[in-house]
Amino acid sequence: MTGEQLGASASLAGSARTRVSDEQIHSSACGSAIEINYDDESQPFVIPFSAEWAFGSRAGGRALNLSVDGKGVLAYSSTHAVVLHDYKSHAQRLLLGHKNTVTAMATDSSGSWLASADAGKLESSSVIVWNLSNASLARVLPGEPPPRGYRVVAMSPDGTLVAAGAGRLLQLWSWWDGACAALELPEHLGEVNAVTFGHDAPAGPARLMVTCDRNVAFITWAAEGEAGAGAGGLQAQPGQLVTRVPGRLLDSAYLRDTDNAISVSDKGYVVLWSDPPLYAPNTKVSRRVYCIDKDGLTALAEVDGMVVVGTSRGHIRFYDQDMCLLHWYQQVKEDAVTGLSFMRHGVDAEPRGVQERLDLSRLISGPSPRLLDAEEPFRARDLIVSEWRDAQRKPVRPAKQREKDNESMMNKRTNERMYGRMNE
């Protein structure tokens, strides 16, 4: 935009400010006009500016991989907007409609729908469902938001259910038919860090687990009137931990084709959940709790029967469902991995699919010892890794520098002891 165009647009905004209807604002939130303020009559104004490009993303945010059928598209948040970025054609599409900073996003398994949540003051926070086929706003979900806004959001694999929450409050919507429910979690669980839906059939009750600081709540949401449906159709049961897990639990995932689940903590511990010996509905018991990384686990994903974890030092590891290491790789930069998002299509044996999948052997990586004699190299879906550098964390010194510093410290202490003896 030239200086003359900018001046003309600014003068137009100052001289031709007009009130618009709610329908116009609803359409402008999905299009080019930007909502900026309200007058005493709570009627919004618009100005003839349009957002064309977003530089940068929210610190610590997670990007979502929307790539399918050879397309390279990812979604991330930048202040009040959700950015759809095509990294192959270098094009962007901005989803505008939030009044506050977008804090969390989630999609269905096909990548057709996207749910985004923001965090703001008082009652201005909202959860919005977007139709990604035409990049339009589908619905603003009703309900009273948490006092500090939403922190996490999740969408069911079929895209019909949305869950969001913060603190101890969890809200659920069946946005196709308008059903909704809310649940306040017990105080001893801590605050909500993640929400994960299970891989359920559309006809059955929805299963989800809410990862809190100190435990995981396993929840079923059945329609009103169905057998076992509690208040609002919700039934919640905290997991039965055999031993206390060091650190804070950050994320959880259901293991496909099983009744088991897994959780990770920021101290590097893994919790494997399974049904109790005497089966009880919606109840899980910690089968194993052990440490797999001393630096801390910060990201978790389940894809194609594998468990994938990211660490605070930038390492990514692939395990099978018994937590036997399959493959690993580390990046040159040692930034914390905050998100792992894989390509949408399934793994197949066709040559085209093999070429599209990422060959991790090209990176700083290594296979598990039991895969060294494998006929084919380890391959996985293409993935997008979200990272965040903690400014308060001290950088790790190279091994040679650590040895040199240790040698200097030992010489210094030896000299101090010899000087002390001479003085005696």
Side-chain angles (χ1 to χ4, degrees):
M1 179 179 291
T2 64
E4 295 179 356
Q5 291 173 328
L6 181 60
S9 299
S11 62
L12 179 60
S15 60
R17 293 177 64 178
T18 57
R19 290 193 180 96
V20 294
S21 62
D22 293 339
E23 290 78 10
Q24 289 172 315
I25 271 294
H26 178 79
S27 61
S28 68
C30 308
S32 60
I34 303 176
E35 181 181 341
I36 55 172
N37 64 353
Y38 295 87
D39 62 2
D40 295 337
E41 300 177 0
S42 298
Q43 290 291 333
F45 290 105
V46 294
I47 58 176
F49 291 117
S50 61
E52 297 293 337
W53 197 270
F55 295 92
S57 61
R58 188 178 71 89
R62 300 181 179 182
L64 300 179
N65 194 343
L66 303 178
S67 303
V68 64
D69 295 333
K71 298 179 181 179
V73 182
L74 61 93
Y76 60 89
S77 60
S78 180
T79 63
H80 295 44
V82 176
V83 183
L84 303 180
H85 183 85
D86 190 327
Y87 55 84
K88 291 188 176 181
S89 63
H90 302 287
Q92 280 190 1
R93 187 74 179 268
L94 303 183
L95 305 181
L96 305 175
H98 285 281
K99 299 179 181 179
N100 308 288
T101 300
V102 178
T103 55
M105 299 181 302
T107 64
D108 64 335
S109 59
S110 65
S112 302
W113 304 95
L114 184 144
S116 57
D118 63 56
K121 298 180 180 180
L122 300 178
E123 298 180 358
S124 62
S125 302
S126 61
V127 178
I128 300 178
V129 178
W130 306 89
N131 185 351
L132 295 182
S133 61
N134 54 10
S136 63
L137 187 150
R139 181 166 299 180
V140 179
L141 301 182
E144 183 178 353
R148 295 177 294 175
Y150 295 98
R151 181 181 178 185
V152 298
V153 68
M155 178 174 275
S156 61
D158 60 0
T160 60
L161 305 178
V162 176
R168 294 165 47 208
L169 178 64
L170 179 70
Q171 295 175 306
L172 298 100
W173 297 270
S174 177
W175 67 276
W176 287 88
D177 55 19
C180 59
L183 175 67
E184 186 174 359
L185 298 171
E187 185 176 359
H188 65 84
L189 297 181
E191 295 190 353
V192 175
N193 293 323
V195 181
T196 309
F197 278 93
H199 307 279
D200 298 299
R207 291 188 309 157
L208 63 155
M209 51 182 170
V210 182
T211 307
C212 302
D213 291 334
R214 293 180 287 275
N215 203 342
V216 177
F218 295 89
I219 299 175
T220 56
W221 188 21
E224 291 286 354
E226 288 188 5
L234 291 174
Q235 276 191 332
Q237 184 69 35
Q240 299 178 10
L241 281 171
V242 177
T243 181
R244 189 181 69 84
V245 182
R248 295 168 51 243
L249 294 175
L250 297 183
D251 205 352
S252 301
Y254 284 100
L255 301 182
R256 191 178 295 272
D257 301 327
T258 71
D259 293 327
N260 301 330
I262 185 172
S263 302
V264 296
S265 79
D266 61 355
K267 296 296 185 182
Y269 280 78
V270 168
V271 182
L272 295 179
W273 303 95
S274 61
D275 292 332
L278 298 177
Y279 176 76
N282 204 35
T283 302
K284 298 290 183 184
V285 178
S286 60
R287 178 162 53 95
R288 297 171 65 186
V289 178
Y290 55 95
C291 181
I292 64 172
D293 189 274
K294 62 180 181 179
D295 294 323
L297 304 177
T298 53
L300 173 67
E302 190 278 339
V303 58
D304 300 328
M306 295 183 295
V307 177
V308 190
V309 298
T311 73
S312 60
R313 297 297 183 187
H315 299 185
I316 298 176
R317 300 192 182 102
F318 292 77
Y319 297 88
D320 62 14
Q321 294 189 359
D322 294 325
M323 295 308 294
C324 295
L325 183 64
L326 299 176
H327 205 87
W328 62 270
Y329 83 94
Q330 69 184 58
Q331 303 166 88
V332 178
K333 298 186 299 181
E334 293 189 339
D335 299 336
V337 177
T338 59
L340 300 166
S341 186
F342 288 82
M343 203 169 185
R344 295 289 161 177
H345 65 75
V347 173
D348 50 50
E350 298 180 1
R352 178 181 60 85
V354 172
Q355 293 177 2
E356 290 179 353
R357 294 195 295 273
L358 176 65
D359 185 0
L360 296 179
S361 62
R362 293 176 295 176
L363 305 173
I364 303 175
S365 61
S368 169
R370 66 193 186 101
L371 295 180
L372 289 175
D373 298 329
E375 296 180 358
E376 297 183 359
F378 177 81
R379 295 181 184 271
R381 300 195 205 184
D382 287 348
L383 74 155
I384 292 177
V385 181
S386 303
E387 298 177 335
W388 179 60
R389 174 170 294 179
D390 189 353
Q392 297 180 354
R393 193 186 72 189
K394 296 182 179 180
V396 179
R397 296 171 298 168
K400 292 184 178 180
Q401 184 65 36
R402 290 199 301 268
E403 293 177 0
K404 184 177 179 180
D405 293 344
N406 293 337
E407 184 178 356
S408 300
M409 182 62 67
M410 293 178 63
N411 293 336
K412 181 180 178 181
R413 292 178 178 175
T414 302
N415 293 336
E416 290 178 350
R417 288 196 295 268
M418 294 179 61
Y419 181 77
R421 292 175 181 175
M422 291 174 60
N423 290 339
E424 291 178 356

